Amino acid sequence: MSELIVLGLKLGFLALLWLFILITGNVIRTDMFGRRVSPAELTAQTKPRKARRSARKLPHTLNVTHGSKAGTVLELGGGLLIGRGAECQLVLDDDYVSTRHARIVAADGGYSVEDMGSTNGTFVNNSRVSQPTPVVAGDTLRIGRTLMKLEK
């Protein structure tokens, strides 16, 4: 082969390698920080949710659907502490769960989920929780590898 063809193949391979690196970096950034949401999307998203929230009943139980504690049902009552620690009402034996990972507290006539500074995060309906987030019956909660559903 001529040197020109070899040089072209090298440059093509290098371009594909950089394209792969950029795509991988973008996927990692999106997984860590989420996608950017415009203010218009935020207001459009919150208005219907308030109407739906008032129509639904409050959750009374937390049902573990996937994970090592699948099938466990807990009453919410005044709230729950979830984590690996012995003081937690729901103890999850998972490498991705902190000692005191999250808590569900009664607030403003309903319940809200609060992350307790965990490393891997707490997710409500596949959205990472960064502040106390109101939840209603039917919402899903993911902590580590465990999926839970709030039920009436």
Side-chain angles (χ1 to χ4, degrees):
M1 275 203 272
S2 76
E3 290 182 32
L4 191 56
I5 293 174
V6 172
L7 179 63
L9 288 173
K10 285 181 182 180
L11 290 176
F13 178 73
L14 187 62
L16 285 175
L17 182 64
W18 274 106
L19 182 66
F20 174 75
I21 290 171
L22 291 174
I23 290 172
T24 304
N26 187 38
V27 167
I28 292 171
R29 181 191 58 80
T30 305
D31 282 350
M32 290 178 66
F33 302 110
R35 69 176 185 88
R36 293 183 185 207
V37 179
S38 69
E41 286 179 298
L42 282 174
T43 56
Q45 192 177 28
T46 56
K47 287 179 184 175
R49 181 153 180 138
K50 287 183 182 178
R52 283 185 287 154
R53 196 177 298 144
S54 62
R56 294 187 200 171
K57 290 187 177 180
L58 294 176
H60 295 290
T61 60
L62 180 70
N63 184 6
V64 181
T65 56
H66 293 88
S68 60
K69 297 277 186 169
T72 303
V73 178
L74 295 169
E75 292 291 326
L76 292 177
L80 291 173
L81 183 60
I82 304 169
R84 286 195 306 191
E87 73 276 4
C88 298
Q89 285 83 19
L90 178 57
V91 179
L92 300 175
D93 187 26
D94 187 345
D95 293 338
Y96 298 102
V97 177
S98 300
T99 304
R100 293 172 49 97
H101 195 97
R103 66 180 172 182
I104 301 173
V105 293
D108 298 331
Y111 288 96
S112 64
V113 174
E114 181 180 354
D115 188 75
M116 306 287 291
S118 65
T119 305
N120 295 311
T122 302
F123 296 84
V124 173
N125 296 330
N126 292 323
S127 297
R128 189 171 182 147
V129 172
S130 58
Q131 59 188 11
T133 304
V135 291
V136 294
D139 285 347
T140 58
L141 178 64
R142 181 170 56 92
I143 296 176
R145 294 182 186 138
T146 305
L147 281 174
M148 296 159 268
K149 188 167 187 170
L150 294 154
E151 297 176 344
K152 298 177 188 178

